[in-house]
Amino acid sequence: LNPSGLSRHLSSQLYSQFIRPKLEYGLAISTFKKSHLISIEKTQNLCIRMIYGAHHKSETKIMRHLVKMPSMSERIAILQAKFVYRAEFLPSDALFTIIRPVLEAQQGSFWSKLKKKSPIIQQLPEVLSNLTSKELKAGIRLFLQNNLNSIRSAVTGSKLLSCCLPNLSVDPIMWLPMTNRERSRCIRWRLGWLPGGRLHPCNKCHQTTFSKKHAIQCLNIHNRLHISYYQPDPVSFFLNQLPKGHPTSPKRIQYLTSYWPILCSILMELDSYHHPTSNQQQYQDPNPGAALIKWITPTAPQVTE
């Protein structure tokens, strides 16, 4: 995949539609060892890192969260729950319906274990025969949300993930109108990637290395975005406020119009300070954030004579 070609969001969708089904074939009716699950997860992580142009040891939790992509172990649980649910509504002359009593009569059969140990089936309030498809989808979403909450609240969890959106949705930075450089800088901040890949001395204050924490202080990001100092990561806090649809509130449109260009300028400065020997002209944008501002600005009604 060419990082400058298809967008990361579109590439993730193509992977989910065409590549991942190859990995999922037969997973709903298969038993796994821990080594098998590790191999499947590694395969998906390899694809995700190719999409983001990441290092082979980069963490993929945030990459998946940005595009609402579950892990392969979660996908196995989802596929197995759907298989158990659909089996309840098969026609009476279907092959599985005919052999199902035999499977249920066998002690320790895979079918019995699947119904008893499926984490999604276990948390459903209704009997499967009385369950609707909407209730099943709600159960799957609850299962994924609980997994996300447990990762975010874990002591050894990802601090960067805890700064991202707390719910299951595609991050707005993946699809909102903006230039490729603006989107890349936002995604890199989410992932914790500093421009250049390594820590460099701060070329502004010449006092310490230009880490993410130092950049927040040195570039005075809290004051420039008018965000409380109680928020340790003001950039992530602002990104979490981006609209998930076309905003209609004049107050919200005014807020984005005022501060989105400032955030784009901050990330542009961060990029510039990390590449002091590069041509600085490429970091000068006369209209930062113009694409998003144009998208959220309501068009004036045309007056017909």
Side-chain angles (χ1 to χ4, degrees):
L1 290 174
N2 186 353
S4 62
L6 300 177
S7 68
R8 293 178 176 90
H9 186 206
L10 178 57
S11 298
S12 300
Q13 290 177 316
L14 292 175
Y15 162 77
S16 298
Q17 292 293 327
F18 297 104
I19 307 300
R20 191 175 65 188
K22 306 295 183 182
L23 302 177
E24 295 175 347
Y25 182 78
L27 294 186
I29 56 174
S30 302
T31 56
F32 301 93
K33 295 181 180 179
K34 188 175 181 180
S35 59
H36 297 158
L37 290 174
I38 292 175
S39 298
I40 296 175
E41 291 286 4
K42 283 183 176 180
T43 304
Q44 174 166 270
N45 290 340
L46 176 63
C47 296
I48 296 172
R49 293 186 183 110
M50 290 176 63
I51 292 172
Y52 282 84
H55 190 267
H56 70 281
K57 292 184 179 180
S58 299
E59 179 57 62
T60 59
K61 290 179 183 177
I62 303 176
M63 300 179 195
R64 289 190 290 101
H65 180 62
L66 291 179
V67 293
K68 202 175 73 170
M69 182 186 298
S71 66
M72 287 305 296
S73 59
E74 291 172 334
R75 282 295 299 171
I76 291 173
I78 293 171
L79 293 172
Q80 290 179 342
K82 288 182 177 181
F83 174 69
V84 173
Y85 172 75
R86 289 166 182 165
E88 294 289 331
F89 302 96
L90 289 174
S92 58
D93 58 345
L95 176 61
F96 186 79
T97 306
I98 297 174
I99 65 174
R100 181 175 168 181
V102 180
L103 296 175
E104 292 178 344
Q106 292 179 354
Q107 186 176 3
S109 66
F110 174 73
W111 174 251
S112 301
K113 292 180 180 179
L114 190 60
K115 292 184 66 176
K116 292 181 180 179
K117 296 184 178 181
S118 173
I120 298 176
I121 297 298
Q122 293 301 314
Q123 70 181 10
L124 294 176
E126 298 289 339
V127 181
L128 283 177
S129 57
N130 299 330
L131 200 68
T132 64
S133 59
K134 289 185 177 180
E135 291 173 331
L136 176 64
K137 290 180 180 179
I140 292 174
R141 186 172 182 84
L142 178 62
F143 166 73
L144 295 175
Q145 185 66 55
N146 289 339
N147 285 353
L148 175 61
N149 294 340
S150 63
I151 296 174
R152 286 169 55 89
S153 61
V155 178
T156 58
S158 173
K159 292 183 179 180
L160 293 173
L161 183 61
S162 63
C163 294
C164 295
L165 291 171
N167 50 6
L168 296 169
S169 62
V170 178
D171 199 300
I173 66 173
M174 305 300 292
W175 59 269
L176 283 175
M178 62 183 77
T179 65
N180 290 337
R181 286 183 178 178
E182 290 170 350
R183 194 182 314 280
S184 177
R185 289 164 183 160
C186 291
I187 292 175
R188 285 176 174 273
W189 184 272
R190 285 290 205 200
L191 298 176
W193 296 353
L194 290 174
R198 295 181 181 180
L199 293 177
H200 299 281
C202 179
N203 291 296
K204 184 177 182 181
C205 64
H206 304 284
Q207 292 183 1
T208 183
T209 54
F210 204 53
S211 62
K212 188 174 181 179
K213 183 178 180 180
H214 175 74
I216 294 174
Q217 299 174 351
C218 191
L219 298 181
N220 198 22
I221 297 180
H222 283 95
N223 287 336
R224 294 171 69 178
L225 294 177
H226 284 74
I227 293 177
S228 171
Y229 281 92
Y230 289 106
Q231 298 294 336
D233 188 344
V235 175
S236 295
F237 179 81
F238 183 89
L239 294 178
N240 289 343
Q241 310 305 313
L242 290 177
K244 299 177 180 62
H246 208 292
T248 57
S249 169
K251 186 176 181 180
R252 184 160 178 76
I253 293 174
Q254 179 60 37
Y255 173 77
L256 293 171
T257 304
S258 301
Y259 292 106
W260 172 247
I262 297 176
L263 177 66
C264 293
S265 299
I266 290 172
L267 296 178
M268 190 164 49
E269 291 175 25
L270 178 65
D271 212 351
S272 175
Y273 284 128
H274 267 275
H275 300 93
T277 60
S278 302
N279 180 15
Q280 294 299 303
Q281 189 66 29
Q282 62 181 319
Y283 304 113
Q284 305 302 321
D285 188 352
N287 297 306
L292 179 59
I293 300 303
K294 181 180 179 181
W295 183 71
I296 65 175
T297 303
T299 57
Q302 295 181 355
V303 179
T304 58
E305 297 182 358

